[in-house]
Amino acid sequence: MSTITIAPRQVAIETKDGLVTRTLTSGKHRRIRGATYTIVDLREQLLTVAPQEVLTADGAQVRVSAAVRWAVGDPIAFHEKAVEPLSSVYLATQVALRDALGAVGMDALAQRGARLPVAEITAAVAAVGLEVGIRVVEVIVKDVILPAELRAAATAVLAAKQRGLAQLEAARAETAALRSLANGAQLLDRHPALATLRAIQSAPPGTQLVLRLGGGEERAPGQ
């Protein structure tokens, strides 16, 4: 008796006289005389979508690339519905990316980078994949490449923003220092003895200071 062995994570579609007679899961099965067997791999795979030119909502042209995580969900539909089922998923991904970017302006795209609505893109591609027996797990937007002049403009804006923040921080530090000096001056005005003590502490060693106390003079060495 002739047999066929199906590996794990694979199925075999048995056809005879032009009709699908059964689907064989992993394991050993008896072959039917005159039947043919097509092996279908059920493991998850990756479909790379080449970079393509896409127009944004304001008419700017960007390049976007993506990848699709997919697996066979319905082996019979995958085998029978289309000659190249992956081509349908590939085209659906291109259209979904074009629709998603077409609703986003360049300013928002420059700020968000590649963070596009991937859930909506995946749902649109998954609906097409379902028709040809493909289960779309996820559409991953890999790169959204802005034109060189727009990348330079975005970099210039970011640099200007950082310079502004640095200047603001410097101004805050200067204001804090002036406020501290003003508070110190007011404190010395209210307490003259503190000014005398400060003068003694800051004088170089060996310096003789003349202190006026109650109309008289008294010399005190510097510290």
Side-chain angles (χ1 to χ4, degrees):
M1 181 180 64
S2 178
T3 61
I4 181 173
T5 301
I6 311 301
R9 299 293 297 162
Q10 290 183 343
V11 297
I13 299 173
E14 180 187 84
T15 57
K16 184 177 181 181
D17 299 329
L19 298 175
V20 175
T21 53
R22 57 177 176 162
T23 300
L24 307 180
T25 57
S26 59
K28 183 178 290 187
H29 304 270
R30 183 172 63 87
R31 284 182 177 270
I32 302 299
R33 185 185 299 274
T36 59
Y37 297 87
T38 303
I39 303 298
V40 179
D41 197 326
L42 301 180
R43 292 174 296 180
E44 185 177 304
Q45 302 183 56
L46 195 65
L47 173 65
T48 299
V49 180
Q52 61 174 330
E53 302 287 344
V54 177
L55 292 178
T56 63
D58 43 15
Q61 195 172 57
V62 299
R63 288 174 61 83
V64 58
S65 63
V68 181
R69 292 173 52 209
W70 67 278
V72 174
D74 184 342
I76 295 178
F78 182 78
H79 178 63
E80 292 192 336
K81 285 295 185 67
V83 176
E84 295 182 357
L86 279 180
S87 296
S88 299
V89 172
Y90 191 100
L91 179 59
T93 305
Q94 289 182 312
V95 173
L97 290 173
R98 186 177 298 115
D99 291 344
L101 283 167
V104 179
M106 180 55 67
D107 290 341
L109 189 61
Q111 294 173 5
R112 296 190 301 170
R115 292 191 294 275
L116 294 174
V118 292
E120 289 82 352
I121 296 173
T122 299
V125 178
V128 175
L130 189 63
E131 298 177 359
V132 292
I134 290 178
R135 177 174 59 89
V136 175
V137 180
E138 181 185 14
V139 176
I140 304 166
V141 179
K142 297 197 298 183
D143 297 299
V144 177
I145 305 173
L146 306 180
E149 60 273 15
L150 293 179
R151 291 201 304 271
T155 301
V157 170
L158 180 60
K161 181 179 179 180
Q162 293 301 319
R163 286 195 299 269
L165 291 175
Q167 292 172 354
L168 178 61
E169 190 62 31
R172 287 175 177 170
E174 184 176 356
T175 300
L178 290 175
R179 185 180 297 112
S180 178
L181 288 175
N183 292 338
Q186 292 176 1
L187 182 63
L188 293 176
D189 286 342
R190 290 195 299 266
H191 304 281
L194 291 178
T196 301
L197 179 61
R198 179 60 180 157
I200 294 174
Q201 290 176 338
S202 60
T207 302
Q208 294 291 325
L209 300 178
V210 178
L211 306 179
R212 297 183 181 277
L213 303 173
E217 292 186 356
E218 179 176 344
R219 297 184 179 274
Q223 295 183 357

